[in-house]
Amino acid sequence: MYTTVIGLEVHVQLATKSKLFCGCSTAYGAEPNTQTCPVCIGMPGSLPVMNEEAVALAIETGLALNLQIAKFTKWDRKQYFYPDLPKGYQISQYDLPITHDGWLEIEDPKGAFEPKKIRILRAHLEEDAGKSLHDESAGKGDTLIDLNRTGTPLLEIVSEPDLRSSAEAKAYLTELRLLLTYLGVSDCNMQEGSLRVDANVNLHIPSDAAANDDNAQDGKIATPIVEIKNMNSFRAVERAIDYEADRQYREWKETGRRLGQSPKQTRGWDDAAGVTRAQRSKEESSDYRYFPDPDLAPVVISAEVVAKVRERLIELPADLRKRLVADYGLSLYDADVIVNQGRPTVDYYLTVADGSGDAKSSANWLTQDVLRTLKNRELAIEEFSIPAERLSNFVKKIGAGELPSARGREVFELMADDGLEVDAAMDKLGIAQVDDSEIESLCQELLDANPKVVADVQGGKQQAIGALIGQAKKKNPNIDPGKFRATCLALIAKG
Amino acid sequence: MTLVEQSAADLLKQLAAGELTSRELTQAYLDQIEQHDARVGAFLRVNAEAALKQADTIDRRRGAGEQIGVLGGLPVAVKDLLCQTGEPTTCASRMLEDFRPPYDSTVVAKLKAADAVLLGRTNMDEFAMGGSTENSAFQPTRNPWDLERSPGGSSGGAAACVAAGMAPLSIGTDTGGSIRQPSAFCGVVGMKPTYGRVSRYGLVAFASSLDQAGPISGTVADTALLLQAIAGHDPRDSTSLNAPTPDYTADVDKPLEGLRLGVVKEHFGEGLDPEVDSAVRAAIAAYEAQGAKIVELSLPHSRFAVATYYVIAPCEASSNLARYDGAHYGRRTEERAMLASLQAERKAAQEAGDADALDNIDTALVRMYRQSRSEAIGPEVKRRIMLGAYALSAGYYDAYYLKALKVRRLIRQDFDQAFEKVDMIVGPTTAGPANKLGEFADDPLGMYLLDLYTVSANLAGLPAMSLPCGATKSGMPIGLQLHAPPLEESRLLRAARMFEQSGVWKSKRCAL
């Protein structure tokens, strides 16, 4: 069967306050054309001035993605006509991107694919274009242009074609988004267009024809590469890739057309219909006529600047996962669940685990009860009514046997609802520790009152004790059922 | 001497002493324009009301004892290429006929801050492309010395208005000689400062790596005065140089001791008009008489300068002018008519069953761009856009643009080496005097060769200036060109002043 070969181009909006070449705000959602100035709308005579923070964020991302940071980089103009591109060119980077040649490791705790390094070819800076709004109401064919987004800094992260399935593509995107949000270099909000994905897809198909094909490798021939645009969710990326792989296979069987026999095609993803559609070749036949932008000086990035940016780098998700597995004894799966929630959840976990001394139990309470509560109540961890220190005391009490684990959930819920400390919650629920002599006397009392149970147990039916547990809990709700059962069995055995 | 015949420096003294008001002076120039500009055509728009109002404000402030800027109420004309809030900034193109910038270029802002009175907007070749000011979409400008002749270009209006006494000071821009060549043709003083010395912010771009605004005036001292007002670092222009601005006006009268003057053999080759040749040699002799040492030298790559320029400038122009697409501002084609004809074409092709023709019909958007640009851009600008787009396109980039950049570096190296031996280079500004109007109508290459001696300074980013050094028998001015190392405007001005004071040639305003 064939191999799917996928490379992704991810456009990330960098979290600067102002645009790449002027002081206009990058905030989302303002009235159209209110965040513009002569520079970002390309008025005659206006000139760009580089935003140094955007450069720093690009370097920071580059370091996190193991990319080489260019010592010398420059700005180029990419020329094409489009109504939302006010200057008639986009300021981008062509042959000397700010960062190049790195990798991102992806892992699959569920085991659908092996952990692997996805190579990254380059990540370069560029300015965003504006937005076209098509007004087709009442037979109109108007196009309105909103230039608020024009000049917003983007980092285009281009992977090598190392991905082999839609699942891997999704894992790559998920990990990339997580990393970028950890760094805080982007909010990666796909609804607001802060993260946009194009996918390059083709197939390598085992074929006898490979022997006579220059593009063939390992007895496989390659189908023409298709670039899929306009996907607005990771789910859409997965579906589009799966659809496209299937479509290319069918097309290959029909036409036998291979890489090099037709130009690279651009297709759009129609999410509602679940299909990719060819875009008119005329709209895409581009010669961008790149050349260095004479309005902007080349950028020399010194080792000092890189060192300064490196100082603000924080621990990355992959390293955190490794630390949770190695130092806290968690399964990769649990570590993954915690890390994928974002840095505040990791910090929460670390406080609970360090304070309680019980890393595993802390992880269980966090990944189950805490996350479920947050989800139900639609809260972020920062807004949660049980601060980490409090949960830490709670876990510690259970571990020490001071809080029967059977009643843990009751206490947890009360803590969550009323914002109580663990002791206060236990008091309110009347939970007190029962000492061994008290349990023993209660067992004796109930065994004496229920000779049939004693006889059943002696006859081999240990489960008969169960009938006494309910009675015991009525007499003393703090009784630990496990302990009660064990004590009763011991007394019966003693005779 | 009437007011409009005097130098800006003299007028400034009278203004400062209270012997003259800015209103009187402004009115005198407005009268001169009123009287003569119908024949010369130097201005595209004169805003008399605004100018007089500005003059009144300055007079009132001076009367109240307030501090007044260095231009102290002197009128200045501005080439119609530098954005000025609310004033038409057309670049002499139909494309920008209705463009009113919402902001001031840095040069205009500095003029305002220096208390200049902004007289009006001067004519030019469309988007500064051309060497004769005949490529204006609105009117040709005529040379005040001979109305049958061109004033040169592209700052033809800016040079002609000074020559004709319609403004004491004027701002031009120079991409390949557009200040110096018309200054030579019109018998005035014009300087292209070092690239980056004067901010390009708000200067409508022709070729960004070459464009530079600079002063045009009647005397060297006046040029120093105007340069003083507009020079300086601008954080809004990334290519602006962060260097202190010397006091040009204070130093201009100090002659240079032991000046080593370079004379470039390539400047005296074939095609040089004999009258220009002898006037320039007389000027060199005048320097020698003042103690300057003359050094013969060669700029071996200067013979490639015009070719290099006509690759780089159109490449940048094709990109800079892409924004004029009819979508955002500037002229848009009449859309209803355009859409109707598009529909008719499509229908005809459909009925004929001509699939190829159908496939070749533009989308409405492409048609809108194409037609808007076709209608609003003139032939010379189109020619350069085509040249640039071709030279930058895939497969040609290395052979043209990249090669031109390499030659550009060699041209700069020639100068660097020359300036190790000499303080200044002296030679002709142009190969001949002003040409007849219409002379290059069918000969664009001939027009391009007018830039032969001037383009190198732009390619190398050097300061250079032209000042009058003689006249032909028929009375047409001849220009002397001086080149200096980067940021040495002060040296240029002092050397130019030395020639002016030598008495070899007394420049004068033309009689209209």
Side-chain angles (χ1 to χ4, degrees), chain B residues 323-458:
Chain B
R323 70 194 65 197
Y324 309 114
D325 59 5
H328 300 275
Y329 39 71
R331 170 169 294 219
R332 181 183 297 181
T333 190
E334 171 42 86
E335 270 180 295
R336 269 172 216 279
M338 184 270 289
L339 287 170
S341 81
L342 189 61
Q343 213 155 10
E345 271 177 52
R346 200 173 283 143
K347 202 173 156 205
Q350 250 159 6
E351 278 166 6
D354 189 341
D356 280 351
L358 206 54
D359 200 45
N360 285 325
I361 289 176
D362 302 326
T363 61
L365 183 62
V366 168
R367 177 68 62 97
M368 191 274 278
Y369 290 148
R370 207 156 56 117
Q371 216 153 298
S372 298
R373 286 168 74 80
S374 301
E375 290 166 9
I377 297 176
E380 181 56 32
V381 177
K382 276 180 190 153
R383 186 177 296 130
R384 298 201 194 187
I385 290 173
M386 294 299 291
L387 278 171
Y390 176 83
L392 283 178
S393 55
Y396 298 106
Y397 180 90
D398 288 2
Y400 295 107
Y401 183 76
L402 209 59
K403 178 65 70 71
L405 285 190
K406 287 176 185 163
V407 178
R408 182 179 188 171
R409 205 167 305 137
L410 294 173
I411 289 170
R412 171 65 188 254
Q413 270 172 21
D414 281 356
F415 277 107
D416 288 345
Q417 283 163 12
F419 286 126
E420 283 171 13
K421 288 177 244 155
V422 300
D423 303 309
M424 188 110 53
I425 289 168
V426 63
T429 310
T430 57
N435 51 284
K436 296 269 198 219
L437 285 167
E439 198 174 323
F440 297 116
D442 301 313
D443 181 15
L445 282 178
M447 187 179 68
Y448 294 174
L449 287 172
L450 291 178
D451 302 332
L452 190 62
Y453 300 136
T454 50
V455 285
S456 295
N458 301 81

Side-chain angles (χ1 to χ4, degrees), chain A residues 271-349:
Chain A
D271 202 47
V275 297
T276 63
R277 292 185 210 280
Q279 291 180 347
R280 286 183 62 185
S281 60
K282 211 195 244 176
E283 287 164 21
E284 280 301 323
S285 60
S286 303
D287 172 0
Y288 290 119
R289 288 176 286 116
Y290 278 103
F291 82 107
D293 192 322
D295 288 332
L296 287 158
V299 187
V300 175
I301 301 172
S302 66
E304 289 75 37
V305 167
V306 177
K308 219 162 149 194
V309 173
R310 197 184 292 275
E311 268 172 34
R312 65 189 208 190
L313 262 191
I314 47 142
E315 197 174 8
L316 298 172
D319 299 327
L320 273 169
R321 277 191 208 101
K322 280 185 197 129
R323 182 146 76 94
L324 292 186
V325 171
D327 299 354
Y328 289 79
L330 299 190
S331 67
L332 179 60
Y333 183 86
D334 279 348
D336 193 55
V337 169
I338 293 170
V339 171
N340 290 1
Q341 295 298 316
R343 182 75 212 194
T345 303
V346 175
D347 289 337
Y348 187 95
Y349 170 75

Side-chain angles (χ1 to χ4, degrees), chain A residues 194-270:
Chain A
S194 301
L195 191 152
R196 310 195 286 265
V197 185
D198 299 335
N200 285 285
V201 179
N202 77 339
L203 306 180
H204 288 179
I205 305 170
S207 163
D208 297 337
N212 313 316
D213 188 330
D214 292 343
N215 288 314
Q217 273 180 345
D218 305 332
K220 291 175 177 178
I221 65 108
T223 57
I225 297 173
V226 167
E227 181 171 6
I228 316 172
K229 290 193 180 275
N230 195 27
M231 298 172 288
N232 54 10
S233 69
F234 290 177
R235 175 94 190 104
V237 175
E238 277 186 287
R239 291 175 67 210
I241 289 172
D242 287 338
Y243 173 86
E244 184 58 25
D246 187 48
R247 189 198 66 77
Q248 285 187 24
Y249 189 63
R250 279 184 279 125
E251 188 176 88
W252 176 75
K253 281 204 291 196
E254 227 171 84
T255 67
R257 201 157 50 211
R258 297 172 244 158
L259 184 67
Q261 292 182 338
S262 62
K264 178 169 155 178
Q265 196 189 40
T266 303
R267 297 177 73 89
W269 170 247
D270 180 337

